[in-house]
Amino acid sequence: MSQSKLRLAILDDYQGIAVSKFHHLASRVDVASFPDTLHPEVPEERESLIQRLLPFDVISTMRERTALPADVTNALPNLKLVLTTGMKNSAIDMAALSQRGIPVLGAKGIGLGLSTSGVPTPTSLDSTLQHTWALILGLARGVASNDARMKQGGWEGSFATGLTGKTLGLLGFGKLGADTAKVGVLAFGMNVVAWSSNLTQQQADEKARGFGLPEGTFRVAASKEDLLRSADVLSIHYVLSDRSRNILGAPELALMKPSALLVNTSRGPLVNEKSLLSTLEQGKIRGAAIDVYDFEPLPKDSRWRSVPWGKDGRSEVLLSPHMGYVEEGVMNRWYEDSAANLGLWLEGKEVPTKLS
């Protein structure tokens, strides 16, 4: 590796698409890719992560995969720049980097991105919305379980769950929660009830009017408990913070209807994982569709992988590997933007998406 070049480490590129995006900088940058995630909260992995990154000047991160806390970045004397996909990344200690004068450059990922076959592919701001509904419908209609049954030589053996007239509960009612509600109303004729700690009926009515829907279309629950008792489908869209961690634990899950479906495309730690596993193993709700986990990538020996879900009284469980934002156009454009940002930084030019 040429010592006259900057050294770039690309982390967590599971699909292997990033390296080619930096080819136009090959005369100035040497690139290495590390698709296997190391977790700095695990002591032995933290040391391995530091040793991995020690030689590098620039780190390219995929939002909220490998964390970059202060005790990692402060141990990297060569570090000069951090690239991140998205316009925020709570897994990076921004303050620690700012104290050292190390900029963090975000990437909006909007517009056309070149697919892996070189075809221009539109990006989508609705990727997680679409995945949320894919999981809701996949669970309600038994798509995965019926697919498995068919491939094993079987035929019908369960019922689908209809959504028309059912209550869609939204835990969190920001843009994604409201968009999910709109689809529930317009596409499936569902009733909507929402709750978050500061949500008012006036705010919910404003969102309804913005969609061309009557006031009162989105009802605000009197409490989190009211939301849980009333929801036939509970979809989580809450921001993870110290206050919201474990916002659903055993007492809250016990309030849900036995026929209810739970869908989490937000963040794993919002739901106490042990309590949720216990609830599902005991079959206390009809099912859950999970895209996010406490520890990612999901360990191979995880109970999520090994329990025979949907059998012997257990709930149905549909799993996906944190795919909410992993859409081809978005992912390619994010890396293209990151490479463009690196080029601007090398030229000493202003980067519009500088985060710190």
Side-chain angles (χ1 to χ4, degrees):
M1 182 180 292
S2 171
Q3 294 303 306
S4 65
K5 295 182 181 181
L6 281 178
R7 290 158 292 187
L8 166 65
I10 298 173
L11 303 182
D12 305 317
D13 175 20
Y14 300 150
Q15 284 79 17
I17 63 173
V19 172
S20 65
K21 310 299 183 184
F22 294 88
H23 278 173
H24 66 290
L25 300 173
S27 65
R28 305 180 68 181
V29 181
D30 281 317
V31 180
S33 180
F34 302 96
D36 57 314
T37 300
L38 293 174
H39 302 86
E41 65 271 25
V42 179
E44 57 271 24
E45 291 193 27
R46 179 174 64 248
E47 184 56 33
S48 296
L49 179 61
I50 291 170
Q51 292 303 312
R52 168 179 286 179
L53 297 177
L54 267 176
F56 292 93
D57 307 284
V58 183
I59 300 172
S60 171
T61 69
M62 174 55 63
R63 56 178 297 192
E64 298 173 20
R65 289 183 179 173
T66 295
L68 294 177
D71 60 354
V72 170
T73 58
N74 286 341
L76 304 176
N78 297 321
L79 186 60
K80 299 177 179 67
L81 177 70
V82 173
L83 306 170
T84 181
T85 56
M87 290 302 292
K88 60 181 179 179
N89 191 334
S90 62
I92 297 175
D93 190 325
M94 298 288 188
L97 293 170
S98 180
Q99 287 175 0
R100 292 179 57 193
I102 298 172
V104 179
L105 308 182
K108 291 184 178 180
I110 298 173
L112 288 176
L114 290 178
S115 71
T116 50
S117 58
V119 178
T121 304
T123 63
S124 170
L125 296 178
D126 297 323
S127 178
T128 303
L129 171 66
Q130 293 175 24
H131 197 66
T132 296
W133 276 102
L135 291 180
I136 292 173
L137 292 169
L139 183 62
R141 308 304 301 187
V143 174
S145 57
N146 282 321
D147 173 75
R149 186 177 294 113
M150 290 283 286
K151 290 173 179 176
Q152 294 165 4
W155 192 240
E156 292 182 15
S158 61
F159 295 106
T161 299
L163 298 179
T164 304
K166 298 289 180 64
T167 296
L168 172 63
L170 285 308
L171 181 63
F173 206 62
K175 183 183 186 307
L176 182 54
D179 286 346
T180 302
K182 178 185 70 172
V183 173
V185 170
L186 295 178
F188 300 107
M190 299 184 77
N191 303 309
V192 170
V193 59
W195 180 88
S196 66
S197 58
N198 297 310
L199 180 65
T200 67
Q201 188 61 54
Q202 180 181 356
Q203 291 170 329
D205 288 341
E206 288 173 358
K207 289 181 184 290
R209 288 197 301 271
F211 295 136
L213 297 170
E215 293 184 4
T217 299
F218 306 146
R219 180 177 72 84
V220 175
S223 64
K224 178 175 63 175
E225 290 73 20
D226 177 52
L227 173 79
L228 296 169
R229 292 189 187 100
S230 61
D232 295 300
V233 178
L234 179 69
S235 189
I236 301 173
H237 303 285
Y238 221 84
V239 175
L240 179 63
S241 67
D242 290 340
R243 290 181 58 192
S244 63
R245 189 176 296 270
N246 292 323
I247 194 170
L248 295 185
E252 290 81 14
L253 293 170
L255 298 175
M256 296 183 69
K257 299 177 181 180
S259 58
L261 305 176
L262 183 150
V263 178
N264 190 3
T265 55
S266 186
R267 292 292 181 271
L270 290 167
V271 187
N272 184 279
E273 186 172 71
K274 290 183 179 179
S275 297
L276 180 57
L277 281 164
S278 177
T279 296
L280 297 169
E281 288 189 85
Q282 295 177 66
K284 291 185 176 180
I285 63 175
R286 179 157 185 153
I290 309 296
D291 187 47
V292 288
Y293 310 88
D294 283 4
F295 198 87
E296 298 181 1
L298 191 65
K300 294 187 185 301
D301 62 353
S302 168
R303 283 167 63 193
W304 288 114
R305 297 183 187 270
S306 60
V307 172
W309 300 113
K311 298 180 180 179
D312 300 322
R314 300 178 187 88
S315 304
E316 291 287 346
V317 172
L318 178 60
L319 304 178
S320 65
H322 203 153
M323 293 292 292
Y325 64 84
V326 185
E327 192 171 278
E328 186 175 22
V330 175
M331 299 290 284
N332 278 280
R333 183 56 189 263
W334 264 343
Y335 282 126
E336 289 161 13
D337 286 354
S338 290
N341 287 341
L342 178 56
L344 289 172
W345 181 80
L346 287 168
E347 296 295 333
K349 296 179 180 178
E350 188 68 25
V351 179
T353 55
K354 182 178 179 182
L355 303 181
S356 72

PDB file of all heavy atoms in Angstrom, residues 133-158:
ATOM      1  N   TRP A 133     -44.874  -2.308   5.693  1.00  0.00           N
ATOM      2  CA  TRP A 133     -46.091  -2.930   5.201  1.00  0.00           C
ATOM      3  C   TRP A 133     -45.838  -4.326   4.628  1.00  0.00           C
ATOM      4  O   TRP A 133     -46.710  -5.203   4.702  1.00  0.00           O
ATOM      5  CB  TRP A 133     -46.796  -2.023   4.192  1.00  0.00           C
ATOM      6  CG  TRP A 133     -47.640  -1.030   4.939  1.00  0.00           C
ATOM      7  CD1 TRP A 133     -47.365   0.278   5.190  1.00  0.00           C
ATOM      8  CD2 TRP A 133     -48.861  -1.326   5.618  1.00  0.00           C
ATOM      9  NE1 TRP A 133     -48.349   0.827   5.976  1.00  0.00           N
ATOM     10  CE2 TRP A 133     -49.279  -0.132   6.250  1.00  0.00           C
ATOM     11  CE3 TRP A 133     -49.643  -2.471   5.758  1.00  0.00           C
ATOM     12  CZ2 TRP A 133     -50.444  -0.062   7.009  1.00  0.00           C
ATOM     13  CZ3 TRP A 133     -50.806  -2.397   6.505  1.00  0.00           C
ATOM     14  CH2 TRP A 133     -51.199  -1.207   7.119  1.00  0.00           C
ATOM     15  N   ALA A 134     -44.653  -4.553   4.097  1.00  0.00           N
ATOM     16  CA  ALA A 134     -44.318  -5.911   3.662  1.00  0.00           C
ATOM     17  C   ALA A 134     -44.357  -6.872   4.850  1.00  0.00           C
ATOM     18  O   ALA A 134     -44.875  -8.001   4.739  1.00  0.00           O
ATOM     19  CB  ALA A 134     -42.933  -5.932   3.016  1.00  0.00           C
ATOM     20  N   LEU A 135     -43.845  -6.421   5.993  1.00  0.00           N
ATOM     21  CA  LEU A 135     -43.841  -7.281   7.189  1.00  0.00           C
ATOM     22  C   LEU A 135     -45.251  -7.449   7.751  1.00  0.00           C
ATOM     23  O   LEU A 135     -45.631  -8.552   8.172  1.00  0.00           O
ATOM     24  CB  LEU A 135     -42.910  -6.704   8.246  1.00  0.00           C
ATOM     25  CG  LEU A 135     -41.416  -6.762   7.919  1.00  0.00           C
ATOM     26  CD1 LEU A 135     -40.597  -6.163   9.058  1.00  0.00           C
ATOM     27  CD2 LEU A 135     -40.955  -8.190   7.647  1.00  0.00           C
ATOM     28  N   ILE A 136     -46.012  -6.351   7.797  1.00  0.00           N
ATOM     29  CA  ILE A 136     -47.389  -6.469   8.289  1.00  0.00           C
ATOM     30  C   ILE A 136     -48.169  -7.470   7.440  1.00  0.00           C
ATOM     31  O   ILE A 136     -48.820  -8.390   7.958  1.00  0.00           O
ATOM     32  CB  ILE A 136     -48.090  -5.098   8.284  1.00  0.00           C
ATOM     33  CG1 ILE A 136     -47.465  -4.162   9.323  1.00  0.00           C
ATOM     34  CG2 ILE A 136     -49.597  -5.261   8.562  1.00  0.00           C
ATOM     35  CD1 ILE A 136     -47.986  -2.735   9.261  1.00  0.00           C
ATOM     36  N   LEU A 137     -48.103  -7.305   6.128  1.00  0.00           N
ATOM     37  CA  LEU A 137     -48.855  -8.195   5.240  1.00  0.00           C
ATOM     38  C   LEU A 137     -48.272  -9.603   5.239  1.00  0.00           C
ATOM     39  O   LEU A 137     -49.019 -10.594   5.210  1.00  0.00           O
ATOM     40  CB  LEU A 137     -48.856  -7.625   3.821  1.00  0.00           C
ATOM     41  CG  LEU A 137     -49.663  -6.332   3.640  1.00  0.00           C
ATOM     42  CD1 LEU A 137     -49.384  -5.713   2.284  1.00  0.00           C
ATOM     43  CD2 LEU A 137     -51.149  -6.609   3.805  1.00  0.00           C
ATOM     44  N   GLY A 138     -46.936  -9.702   5.272  1.00  0.00           N
ATOM     45  CA  GLY A 138     -46.318 -11.020   5.293  1.00  0.00           C
ATOM     46  C   GLY A 138     -46.733 -11.826   6.505  1.00  0.00           C
ATOM     47  O   GLY A 138     -46.980 -13.037   6.421  1.00  0.00           O
ATOM     48  N   LEU A 139     -46.830 -11.132   7.656  1.00  0.00           N
ATOM     49  CA  LEU A 139     -47.242 -11.807   8.885  1.00  0.00           C
ATOM     50  C   LEU A 139     -48.740 -12.097   8.875  1.00  0.00           C
ATOM     51  O   LEU A 139     -49.175 -13.219   9.184  1.00  0.00           O
ATOM     52  CB  LEU A 139     -46.867 -10.932  10.093  1.00  0.00           C
ATOM     53  CG  LEU A 139     -47.161 -11.494  11.478  1.00  0.00           C
ATOM     54  CD1 LEU A 139     -46.369 -12.778  11.726  1.00  0.00           C
ATOM     55  CD2 LEU A 139     -46.824 -10.456  12.550  1.00  0.00           C
ATOM     56  N   ALA A 140     -49.536 -11.087   8.505  1.00  0.00           N
ATOM     57  CA  ALA A 140     -50.987 -11.255   8.533  1.00  0.00           C
ATOM     58  C   ALA A 140     -51.460 -12.329   7.557  1.00  0.00           C
ATOM     59  O   ALA A 140     -52.398 -13.081   7.845  1.00  0.00           O
ATOM     60  CB  ALA A 140     -51.675  -9.925   8.218  1.00  0.00           C
ATOM     61  N   ARG A 141     -50.799 -12.411   6.394  1.00  0.00           N
ATOM     62  CA  ARG A 141     -51.223 -13.379   5.384  1.00  0.00           C
ATOM     63  C   ARG A 141     -50.458 -14.697   5.472  1.00  0.00           C
ATOM     64  O   ARG A 141     -50.691 -15.600   4.670  1.00  0.00           O
ATOM     65  CB  ARG A 141     -51.048 -12.794   3.976  1.00  0.00           C
ATOM     66  CG  ARG A 141     -51.676 -11.426   3.751  1.00  0.00           C
ATOM     67  CD  ARG A 141     -53.156 -11.386   4.061  1.00  0.00           C
ATOM     68  NE  ARG A 141     -53.954 -12.314   3.266  1.00  0.00           N
ATOM     69  CZ  ARG A 141     -55.280 -12.355   3.275  1.00  0.00           C
ATOM     70  NH1 ARG A 141     -55.959 -11.513   4.058  1.00  0.00           N
ATOM     71  NH2 ARG A 141     -55.932 -13.214   2.534  1.00  0.00           N
ATOM     72  N   GLY A 142     -49.531 -14.822   6.416  1.00  0.00           N
ATOM     73  CA  GLY A 142     -48.793 -16.079   6.585  1.00  0.00           C
ATOM     74  C   GLY A 142     -47.909 -16.419   5.403  1.00  0.00           C
ATOM     75  O   GLY A 142     -47.711 -17.605   5.082  1.00  0.00           O
ATOM     76  N   VAL A 143     -47.346 -15.399   4.740  1.00  0.00           N
ATOM     77  CA  VAL A 143     -46.599 -15.634   3.505  1.00  0.00           C
ATOM     78  C   VAL A 143     -45.405 -16.560   3.732  1.00  0.00           C
ATOM     79  O   VAL A 143     -45.209 -17.546   3.010  1.00  0.00           O
ATOM     80  CB  VAL A 143     -46.149 -14.294   2.886  1.00  0.00           C
ATOM     81  CG1 VAL A 143     -45.250 -14.546   1.676  1.00  0.00           C
ATOM     82  CG2 VAL A 143     -47.359 -13.458   2.473  1.00  0.00           C
ATOM     83  N   ALA A 144     -44.567 -16.240   4.724  1.00  0.00           N
ATOM     84  CA  ALA A 144     -43.359 -17.040   4.939  1.00  0.00           C
ATOM     85  C   ALA A 144     -43.685 -18.443   5.436  1.00  0.00           C
ATOM     86  O   ALA A 144     -43.109 -19.436   4.970  1.00  0.00           O
ATOM     87  CB  ALA A 144     -42.430 -16.329   5.921  1.00  0.00           C
ATOM     88  N   SER A 145     -44.610 -18.543   6.380  1.00  0.00           N
ATOM     89  CA  SER A 145     -44.939 -19.863   6.925  1.00  0.00           C
ATOM     90  C   SER A 145     -45.609 -20.743   5.873  1.00  0.00           C
ATOM     91  O   SER A 145     -45.339 -21.950   5.801  1.00  0.00           O
ATOM     92  CB  SER A 145     -45.838 -19.720   8.163  1.00  0.00           C
ATOM     93  OG  SER A 145     -47.022 -19.007   7.850  1.00  0.00           O
ATOM     94  N   ASN A 146     -46.447 -20.161   5.042  1.00  0.00           N
ATOM     95  CA  ASN A 146     -47.083 -20.949   3.986  1.00  0.00           C
ATOM     96  C   ASN A 146     -46.083 -21.334   2.894  1.00  0.00           C
ATOM     97  O   ASN A 146     -46.154 -22.428   2.330  1.00  0.00           O
ATOM     98  CB  ASN A 146     -48.255 -20.173   3.378  1.00  0.00           C
ATOM     99  CG  ASN A 146     -49.488 -20.215   4.259  1.00  0.00           C
ATOM    100  OD1 ASN A 146     -49.800 -21.243   4.859  1.00  0.00           O
ATOM    101  ND2 ASN A 146     -50.182 -19.101   4.361  1.00  0.00           N
ATOM    102  N   ASP A 147     -45.152 -20.433   2.600  1.00  0.00           N
ATOM    103  CA  ASP A 147     -44.094 -20.762   1.645  1.00  0.00           C
ATOM    104  C   ASP A 147     -43.289 -21.956   2.142  1.00  0.00           C
ATOM    105  O   ASP A 147     -43.011 -22.900   1.384  1.00  0.00           O
ATOM    106  CB  ASP A 147     -43.186 -19.546   1.459  1.00  0.00           C
ATOM    107  CG  ASP A 147     -41.976 -19.854   0.610  1.00  0.00           C
ATOM    108  OD1 ASP A 147     -42.128 -19.975  -0.613  1.00  0.00           O
ATOM    109  OD2 ASP A 147     -40.872 -19.978   1.174  1.00  0.00           O
ATOM    110  N   ALA A 148     -42.915 -21.928   3.429  1.00  0.00           N
ATOM    111  CA  ALA A 148     -42.155 -23.049   4.003  1.00  0.00           C
ATOM    112  C   ALA A 148     -42.975 -24.339   3.960  1.00  0.00           C
ATOM    113  O   ALA A 148     -42.453 -25.417   3.628  1.00  0.00           O
ATOM    114  CB  ALA A 148     -41.747 -22.719   5.434  1.00  0.00           C
ATOM    115  N   ARG A 149     -44.264 -24.240   4.277  1.00  0.00           N
ATOM    116  CA  ARG A 149     -45.124 -25.427   4.270  1.00  0.00           C
ATOM    117  C   ARG A 149     -45.234 -26.015   2.865  1.00  0.00           C
ATOM    118  O   ARG A 149     -45.156 -27.235   2.669  1.00  0.00           O
ATOM    119  CB  ARG A 149     -46.512 -25.056   4.809  1.00  0.00           C
ATOM    120  CG  ARG A 149     -47.445 -26.243   4.988  1.00  0.00           C
ATOM    121  CD  ARG A 149     -48.788 -25.825   5.588  1.00  0.00           C
ATOM    122  NE  ARG A 149     -48.632 -25.343   6.951  1.00  0.00           N
ATOM    123  CZ  ARG A 149     -48.836 -24.081   7.346  1.00  0.00           C
ATOM    124  NH1 ARG A 149     -49.213 -23.176   6.461  1.00  0.00           N
ATOM    125  NH2 ARG A 149     -48.697 -23.739   8.597  1.00  0.00           N
ATOM    126  N   MET A 150     -45.411 -25.147   1.865  1.00  0.00           N
ATOM    127  CA  MET A 150     -45.508 -25.615   0.489  1.00  0.00           C
ATOM    128  C   MET A 150     -44.233 -26.324   0.043  1.00  0.00           C
ATOM    129  O   MET A 150     -44.275 -27.381  -0.603  1.00  0.00           O
ATOM    130  CB  MET A 150     -45.781 -24.425  -0.435  1.00  0.00           C
ATOM    131  CG  MET A 150     -47.164 -23.819  -0.302  1.00  0.00           C
ATOM    132  SD  MET A 150     -48.447 -24.788  -1.122  1.00  0.00           S
ATOM    133  CE  MET A 150     -48.084 -24.398  -2.832  1.00  0.00           C
ATOM    134  N   LYS A 151     -43.087 -25.763   0.390  1.00  0.00           N
ATOM    135  CA  LYS A 151     -41.815 -26.341  -0.037  1.00  0.00           C
ATOM    136  C   LYS A 151     -41.500 -27.642   0.678  1.00  0.00           C
ATOM    137  O   LYS A 151     -40.642 -28.405   0.226  1.00  0.00           O
ATOM    138  CB  LYS A 151     -40.693 -25.322   0.166  1.00  0.00           C
ATOM    139  CG  LYS A 151     -40.787 -24.150  -0.816  1.00  0.00           C
ATOM    140  CD  LYS A 151     -39.790 -23.051  -0.519  1.00  0.00           C
ATOM    141  CE  LYS A 151     -39.904 -21.923  -1.530  1.00  0.00           C
ATOM    142  NZ  LYS A 151     -39.014 -20.785  -1.206  1.00  0.00           N
ATOM    143  N   GLN A 152     -42.200 -27.879   1.784  1.00  0.00           N
ATOM    144  CA  GLN A 152     -42.040 -29.141   2.505  1.00  0.00           C
ATOM    145  C   GLN A 152     -43.115 -30.150   2.112  1.00  0.00           C
ATOM    146  O   GLN A 152     -43.243 -31.202   2.734  1.00  0.00           O
ATOM    147  CB  GLN A 152     -42.094 -28.879   4.018  1.00  0.00           C
ATOM    148  CG  GLN A 152     -40.911 -28.054   4.531  1.00  0.00           C
ATOM    149  CD  GLN A 152     -41.141 -27.490   5.920  1.00  0.00           C
ATOM    150  OE1 GLN A 152     -42.162 -27.767   6.560  1.00  0.00           O
ATOM    151  NE2 GLN A 152     -40.201 -26.693   6.400  1.00  0.00           N
ATOM    152  N   GLY A 153     -43.894 -29.828   1.066  1.00  0.00           N
ATOM    153  CA  GLY A 153     -44.893 -30.766   0.563  1.00  0.00           C
ATOM    154  C   GLY A 153     -46.281 -30.579   1.114  1.00  0.00           C
ATOM    155  O   GLY A 153     -47.181 -31.357   0.793  1.00  0.00           O
ATOM    156  N   GLY A 154     -46.478 -29.561   1.939  1.00  0.00           N
ATOM    157  CA  GLY A 154     -47.774 -29.361   2.564  1.00  0.00           C
ATOM    158  C   GLY A 154     -48.699 -28.467   1.766  1.00  0.00           C
ATOM    159  O   GLY A 154     -48.417 -28.072   0.635  1.00  0.00           O
ATOM    160  N   TRP A 155     -49.820 -28.134   2.418  1.00  0.00           N
ATOM    161  CA  TRP A 155     -50.830 -27.291   1.803  1.00  0.00           C
ATOM    162  C   TRP A 155     -51.394 -26.396   2.896  1.00  0.00           C
ATOM    163  O   TRP A 155     -50.718 -26.097   3.863  1.00  0.00           O
ATOM    164  CB  TRP A 155     -51.888 -28.182   1.132  1.00  0.00           C
ATOM    165  CG  TRP A 155     -52.852 -27.464   0.204  1.00  0.00           C
ATOM    166  CD1 TRP A 155     -54.208 -27.396   0.320  1.00  0.00           C
ATOM    167  CD2 TRP A 155     -52.515 -26.714  -0.967  1.00  0.00           C
ATOM    168  NE1 TRP A 155     -54.746 -26.662  -0.707  1.00  0.00           N
ATOM    169  CE2 TRP A 155     -53.730 -26.224  -1.520  1.00  0.00           C
ATOM    170  CE3 TRP A 155     -51.318 -26.408  -1.616  1.00  0.00           C
ATOM    171  CZ2 TRP A 155     -53.790 -25.449  -2.675  1.00  0.00           C
ATOM    172  CZ3 TRP A 155     -51.367 -25.639  -2.759  1.00  0.00           C
ATOM    173  CH2 TRP A 155     -52.586 -25.168  -3.283  1.00  0.00           C
ATOM    174  N   GLU A 156     -52.627 -25.942   2.778  1.00  0.00           N
ATOM    175  CA  GLU A 156     -53.189 -25.050   3.785  1.00  0.00           C
ATOM    176  C   GLU A 156     -53.171 -25.685   5.171  1.00  0.00           C
ATOM    177  O   GLU A 156     -53.417 -26.871   5.322  1.00  0.00           O
ATOM    178  CB  GLU A 156     -54.638 -24.696   3.442  1.00  0.00           C
ATOM    179  CG  GLU A 156     -54.796 -23.842   2.211  1.00  0.00           C
ATOM    180  CD  GLU A 156     -56.260 -23.512   1.972  1.00  0.00           C
ATOM    181  OE1 GLU A 156     -57.083 -23.699   2.895  1.00  0.00           O
ATOM    182  OE2 GLU A 156     -56.592 -23.072   0.855  1.00  0.00           O
ATOM    183  N   GLY A 157     -52.901 -24.834   6.170  1.00  0.00           N
ATOM    184  CA  GLY A 157     -52.948 -25.344   7.541  1.00  0.00           C
ATOM    185  C   GLY A 157     -53.180 -24.250   8.551  1.00  0.00           C
ATOM    186  O   GLY A 157     -53.144 -24.492   9.754  1.00  0.00           O
ATOM    187  N   SER A 158     -53.436 -23.026   8.051  1.00  0.00           N
ATOM    188  CA  SER A 158     -53.640 -21.906   8.965  1.00  0.00           C
ATOM    189  C   SER A 158     -54.553 -20.888   8.296  1.00  0.00           C
ATOM    190  O   SER A 158     -54.909 -21.031   7.126  1.00  0.00           O
ATOM    191  CB  SER A 158     -52.300 -21.255   9.322  1.00  0.00           C
ATOM    192  OG  SER A 158     -51.672 -20.747   8.155  1.00  0.00           O
TER     193      SER A 158
END
